């Protein structure tokens, strides 16, 4: 009975993370599409030069949109990696380690990205 | 067309990673699943690489503008085309996986897949044209 409850809880958690993966994926389609157009498809040569990048990130609204993009894409990536690794049939202990390592990587990557965006915004002002 | 949602399966293949590359008795859903994961892994790698590349901006104008020159070389543009393929495929197939997983269009998913792939092919051609012409 206890095992059944634990399984239900695990399935519920997996289902919740799967739903989060779907929601973040749907958000990404919109935000990544916007990113591709704003950063590449409407820019001559596909990439802004240094001065143009600074002028672009001077806007707090642009920085806010980029931060949302960064957080959503990192979450989606980490959840995807987790699903792939868990499909390898890991032991409970290994799954716990994977959860911790991926959380550290995800928080680290998002944290570094936030630092980068804010540093560039400060440079631009 | 059946999607392989192995995280929720009670029975796992004995060698799940190698199963992606096993071409025997492959059905469309298995190919779609394997390609979804391979493009996903590629995009994760690109995400981290992208953060490293953006760090060049902190080194000032010389570092970034030198990278831009390199990024406009034909080899880089070709890699951009591969990247865009990965984004478009993963995104559009993801729409199908999400819809089917939530119970929408389960019976029509083969048609849904091919419809999305036709849209994807058009987007890919337009994007590659943009990459090589802007």
């Amino acid at each position: 009975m206890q095992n059944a409850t634990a399984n239900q809880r695990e399935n519920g958690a997996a289902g919740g993370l799967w739903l989060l993966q779907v929601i973040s994926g749907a958000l990404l389609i919109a935000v990544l599409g916007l990113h591709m157009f704003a950063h590449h498809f409407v820019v001559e040569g596909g990439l802004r030069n240094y001065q143009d990048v600074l002028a672009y990130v001077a806007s707090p609204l642009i920085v806010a949109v980029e931060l949302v993009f960064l957080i959503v894409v990192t979450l989606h990536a980490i959840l995807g990696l987790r699903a792939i690794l868990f499909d390898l049939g890991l032991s409970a202990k290994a799954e716990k380690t994977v959860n911790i390592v991926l959380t550290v990587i995800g928080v680290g990557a998002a944290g570094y990205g936030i630092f980068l965006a804010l540093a560039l915004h400060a440079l631009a002002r | 067309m059946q999607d392989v949602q192995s995280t929720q399966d009670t029975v796992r293949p004995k060698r799940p990673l190698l199963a992606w590359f096993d071409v025997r008795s492959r059905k469309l859903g298995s190919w779609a699943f394997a390609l979804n994961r391979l493009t996903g892994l590629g995009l994760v790698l690109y995400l981290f690489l992208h953060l490293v590349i953006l760090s060049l901006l902190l080194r000032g104008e010389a570092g970034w503008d030198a990278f831009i020159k390199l990024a406009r070389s034909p080899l880089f543009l070709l890699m951009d085309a591969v990247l865009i393929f990965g984004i478009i495929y993963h995104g559009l197939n993801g729409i199908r996986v999400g819809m089917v997983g939530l119970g929408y269009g389960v019976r029509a998913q083969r048609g849904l897949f091919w419809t999305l792939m036709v849209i994807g092919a058009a987007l890919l051609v337009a994007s590659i044209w943009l990459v090589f012409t802007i």
Side-chain angles (χ1 to χ4, degrees):
Chain A
M1 186 67 183
Q2 270 184 337
N3 277 346
T5 311
N7 282 342
Q8 276 176 353
R9 201 165 45 232
E10 277 175 24
N11 288 340
L17 290 178
W18 182 84
L19 192 60
L20 195 55
Q21 179 84 338
V22 171
I23 293 168
S24 59
L27 265 175
L28 266 184
I29 289 173
V31 189
L32 181 59
L34 190 68
H35 175 91
M36 292 301 284
F37 269 93
H39 276 274
H40 305 295
F41 292 157
V42 295
V43 177
E44 195 182 335
L47 279 172
R48 286 187 169 83
N49 64 31
Y50 184 76
Q51 292 303 333
D52 288 344
V53 170
L54 290 191
Y56 185 73
V57 297
S59 159
L61 180 66
I62 295 291
V63 174
V65 171
E66 291 301 326
L67 290 181
V68 169
F69 172 53
L70 170 75
I71 291 166
V72 174
V73 77
T74 307
L75 175 69
H76 191 80
I78 294 299
L79 287 175
L81 277 179
R82 182 182 179 275
I84 290 173
L85 290 170
F86 274 37
D87 275 354
L88 299 177
L90 305 176
S91 65
K93 192 180 171 188
E95 285 187 350
K96 211 171 181 176
T97 307
V98 164
N99 278 336
I100 293 168
V101 170
L102 288 180
T103 302
V104 170
I105 291 173
V107 170
Y112 180 68
I114 291 168
F115 156 75
L116 203 56
L118 296 180
L120 288 171
H121 180 64
L123 267 177
R125 292 175 72 194
Chain B
M1 182 172 181
Q2 207 165 25
D3 232 355
V4 185
Q5 293 292 345
S6 38
T7 40
Q8 292 170 13
D9 280 353
T10 49
V11 180
R12 293 174 190 273
K14 280 184 182 169
R15 304 173 83 180
L17 195 58
L18 288 177
W20 298 4
F21 304 99
D22 186 351
V23 295
R24 291 169 298 177
S25 308
R26 277 270 176 188
K27 290 185 178 169
L28 182 60
S30 304
W31 286 110
F33 174 81
L35 192 54
N36 200 55
R37 292 214 149 170
L38 288 174
T39 52
L41 282 174
L43 292 172
V44 171
L45 277 178
Y46 178 76
L47 170 67
F48 294 126
L49 184 66
H50 201 49
L51 281 175
V52 172
I53 289 170
L54 288 177
S55 303
L56 290 173
L57 283 163
L58 294 181
R59 294 188 186 176
E61 194 160 1
W64 180 252
D65 289 350
F67 165 72
I68 287 184
K69 205 173 171 185
L70 180 69
R72 287 177 181 157
S73 67
L75 180 65
F76 256 78
L77 295 180
L78 200 63
M79 284 158 61
D80 280 347
V82 175
L83 171 70
I84 290 169
F85 164 78
I87 291 171
I88 290 174
Y89 176 80
H90 195 81
L92 292 177
N93 187 58
I95 290 174
R96 180 186 63 85
V97 171
M99 282 178 67
V100 171
L102 293 171
Y104 299 105
V106 178
R107 289 188 183 173
Q109 62 170 312
R110 179 181 285 270
L112 181 62
F113 176 78
W114 285 117
T115 304
L116 289 167
M117 289 306 108
V118 169
I119 294 169
L123 283 174
L124 183 64
V125 170
S127 302
I128 290 175
W129 181 79
L130 277 173
V131 163
F132 282 95
T133 55
I134 57 172

